[in-house]
Amino acid sequence: MTSTPLDFSNKRILVTGGAGFLGRQVVSQLCQAGADPEKITVPRSHDLDLTQLENCQRAVAHQDMVIHLAAHVGGIGLNREKPAELFYDNLMMGTQLIHSAMQAGIQKFVCVGTICAYPKFTPVPFKEDDLWNGYPEETNAPYGIAKKALLVQLQAYRQQYGFDGIYLLPVNLYGPEDNFDPRSSHVIPALIRKVYEAQQRGDTQLLVWGDGSPTREFLYSQDAARGIVMAAQRYSDAEPVNLGTGYEISIRDLITLICKVMEFEGEIVWQTDQPNGQPRRCLDTHRAKEAFGFMAQVGFEEGLNRTIAWYRQNAQ
């Protein structure tokens, strides 16, 4: 932990994925923490494909800090459909960006990983020290392992080159402006859209994958962004750090709560022939609190209400 927070005011900061759901919040939090908006660079994937080395080199040129959020990511459906793409794209983006940043003399590299990297049967709550104690849940292992390899790279580069790279593990995110595309969205936006469309059609039943038994933890996007920026300012260590709330909810209770908030009174039908994903997911959040003072602030029901309200206003 650094004794005095990093001064962002004169730093040139590259935020990959900065135009995305989490990225926009991170840019906003950077500005609140004193960064100059004119010195924040947000490359767009259609202009700069970061799976190509020369684009990574171009992206990091003349920067002081990199916050790497860009990812090819989705829910269980996308993980089953495109495991090779998810492995290759995320590995290439991350590993070449880290290498280019080291060569360019970047002062600080913040890598945002994924809790899909944790073993399938990790003791709950997940502690960072358990990260290597088994193979990830099969449906998202290619994505999770590609992102976990970046932790090894950062630790190796710190050891050999003195490169200041940190690695953060945010839990499942949600919030306004999330991805609500049913082909690639995560569980909360997918369920909100499903309920909304069922209401629009006047359905009396709601079909939901799995049996409802898995548990998940969710972190509001604004909280996640604040945690990332706090780590960028105050944390410089080799060990990975969880970002979460420590609040665990079952998928069954989650869909019941969404239906209650959205006033959907139909029957929930569980499609037990479809996969559940990882059995339980909840993080130990002590390291983030001790290392750089991060604690989540937005309660789950409050965050859910804000997310549902945003979707209702913006649904096509």
Side-chain angles (χ1 to χ4, degrees):
M1 181 174 177
T2 50
S3 53
T4 53
L6 201 61
D7 180 5
F8 286 153
S9 61
N10 62 349
K11 294 282 186 279
R12 294 160 300 183
I13 305 172
L14 174 74
V15 185
T16 73
F21 161 55
L22 175 60
R24 285 192 291 270
Q25 298 280 359
V26 168
V27 169
S28 172
Q29 292 289 328
L30 281 169
C31 294
Q32 287 182 46
D36 180 349
E38 296 294 314
K39 293 182 177 176
I40 297 173
T41 303
V42 176
R44 302 303 298 264
S45 57
H46 53 76
D47 298 325
L48 208 64
D49 176 2
L50 293 175
T51 64
Q52 304 299 314
L53 177 60
E54 59 273 19
N55 289 339
C56 291
Q57 292 167 334
R58 196 177 314 150
V60 301
H62 313 298
Q63 302 292 338
D64 298 309
M65 177 186 288
V66 175
I67 299 179
H68 179 43
L69 306 171
H72 187 176
V73 64
I76 289 178
L78 189 69
N79 278 282
R80 291 167 83 197
E81 184 188 344
K82 296 185 174 178
E85 285 183 32
L86 292 176
F87 180 82
Y88 181 84
D89 289 352
N90 288 292
L91 185 66
M92 288 299 105
M93 268 195 287
T95 198
Q96 295 183 138
L97 197 67
I98 290 168
H99 190 68
S100 300
M102 180 278 295
Q103 289 185 317
I106 296 294
Q107 296 168 20
K108 183 79 169 270
F109 192 105
V110 181
C111 186
V112 177
T114 171
I115 61 156
C116 296
Y118 273 103
K120 181 175 183 177
F121 297 107
T122 307
V124 176
F126 294 7
K127 291 183 171 64
E128 292 93 343
D129 294 342
D130 292 329
L131 198 56
W132 297 100
N133 294 342
Y135 195 75
E137 200 279 322
E138 293 79 5
T139 53
N140 55 37
Y143 170 67
I145 288 171
K147 295 291 273 188
K148 187 153 66 165
L150 306 180
L151 168 61
V152 178
Q153 184 179 7
L154 287 171
Q155 290 173 333
Y157 280 40
R158 180 180 290 273
Q159 183 182 337
Q160 186 171 342
Y161 305 125
F163 184 62
D164 186 9
I166 63 170
Y167 190 90
L168 307 174
L169 290 153
V171 78
N172 297 51
L173 304 180
Y174 74 104
E177 301 185 329
D178 203 342
N179 169 26
F180 288 85
D181 183 335
R183 294 164 298 180
S184 57
S185 59
H186 286 102
V187 60
I188 286 182
L191 290 174
I192 290 171
R193 178 168 177 155
K194 195 179 273 265
V195 171
Y196 177 85
E197 290 181 347
Q199 287 176 313
Q200 298 302 107
R201 292 190 300 264
D203 293 352
T204 57
Q205 288 189 330
L206 190 74
L207 302 179
V208 183
W209 274 20
D211 61 14
S213 65
T215 65
R216 292 292 179 266
E217 173 185 350
F218 299 98
L219 180 62
Y220 193 62
S221 56
Q222 189 178 342
D223 270 337
R226 193 171 50 81
I228 289 164
V229 171
M230 287 175 73
Q233 276 192 303
R234 298 171 182 271
Y235 187 68
S236 290
D237 198 39
E239 296 305 314
V241 184
N242 289 334
L243 293 180
T245 63
Y247 172 71
E248 185 179 14
I249 185 171
S250 73
I251 299 299
R252 186 177 295 274
D253 288 345
L254 171 64
I255 188 63
T256 301
L257 181 57
I258 288 172
C259 288
K260 184 185 96 172
V261 172
M262 297 184 73
E263 300 179 336
F264 176 77
E265 296 176 353
E267 178 193 5
I268 299 167
V269 178
W270 296 99
Q271 296 178 287
T272 53
D273 58 329
Q274 296 293 345
N276 271 327
Q278 193 159 17
R280 289 182 73 187
R281 220 180 250 175
C282 185
L283 300 185
D284 183 301
T285 58
H286 285 91
R287 187 176 287 176
K289 183 180 178 184
E290 290 163 8
F292 47 91
F294 172 72
M295 291 177 67
Q297 293 177 343
V298 179
F300 184 59
E301 199 154 344
E302 180 190 350
L304 201 58
N305 272 290
R306 290 185 198 173
T307 308
I308 288 166
W310 182 89
Y311 182 70
R312 279 184 164 147
Q313 284 179 338
N314 293 276
Q316 298 302 314

